[in-house]
Amino acid sequence: MAETIRIVNSLGDYLRARRALVSPADVGLPTTGRRRVPGLRREEVAELVGLSTDYYVRLEQGRADRPSDEVLDALGRALGLGSAERAHLYDLARPRRRVVAAPAGPGRGEALRPALRQVVETFPNSPAMIMNDRNDVLAWNHLAAALIADFPQLPARERNMARRIFLDPEAQLIHPDWDEAARTTVGILRMAAGRRPHDPELVRLVGELSLGSETFRKLWAGHHVHEKTHGPKRFRHPVVGEVALSYETFQVPGAAHHLLVVYTAAPGSPAEEALNFLGSFTPSSTP
């Protein structure tokens, strides 16, 4: 029950977490005397944004009605927020008044067009999969199953990358950059929670991960947010060893919370050779 409360994050929670990360020197303010709190004080944020201290305090306490775009933009600048963090700020400041249908989880009636599964299979030389913003893997190709996880053999609820990152004992072997993977995974879930704080599947997932992983609890308390777009990614396979790839994500048309993720290897690289080797096996004979 406690984690159900904590997933419903207020604008004040986020503002307090973010101002704690900004030092006066970062924004050109003098650093004088001993400070009782890390980062900026409330009155310093108010001054930077051009608000009265009383109004800013009411924002953090949840007593201010729908701050304007100008106020939110100024808060974003003062706190040094990136694009994903600004989007999260708006989600928290402008909660949707209607219930937004969340993407169902695997095994719970997820509506994924058959043609989309075929699209994933059209990447014969690159691992590819479709995920929702709860990190459920909804579709995958042979190379993704051979390199990342044996998705066809997993129970539906275990086809979730957040569970695999935090609850699989072998996760740190599979993901050489586990610390970064853990941080970005939590950030993706935070973004989803800002959009749909009452999504029952997301609430259950966050509760399960909080009970099962101290690292998850600490990262969740940090209020970091992340939008999956592109970047490097390394995997470690028991047969081919470490595979260094790049990934790109593509929004699935007609499904706001679904992303197609494609991993590619540099031409002529050891990673390309490793993928070619894994691709030479049939799904039933993967090494």
Side-chain angles (χ1 to χ4, degrees), residues 244-261:
L245 304 171
S246 297
Y247 73 87
E248 295 283 345
T249 59
F250 305 90
Q251 183 71 54
V252 175
H257 305 298
H258 291 178
L259 291 175
L260 170 64
V261 186

Side-chain angles (χ1 to χ4, degrees), residues 112-142:
L112 197 64
R113 300 192 302 274
L116 288 175
R117 299 182 188 276
Q118 295 172 15
V119 167
V120 172
E121 289 294 343
T122 63
F123 295 91
N125 302 316
S126 298
M129 55 190 184
I130 292 177
M131 304 171 61
N132 62 24
D133 60 358
R134 285 197 308 264
N135 280 270
D136 294 316
V137 178
L138 310 175
W140 57 88
N141 66 359
H142 166 45

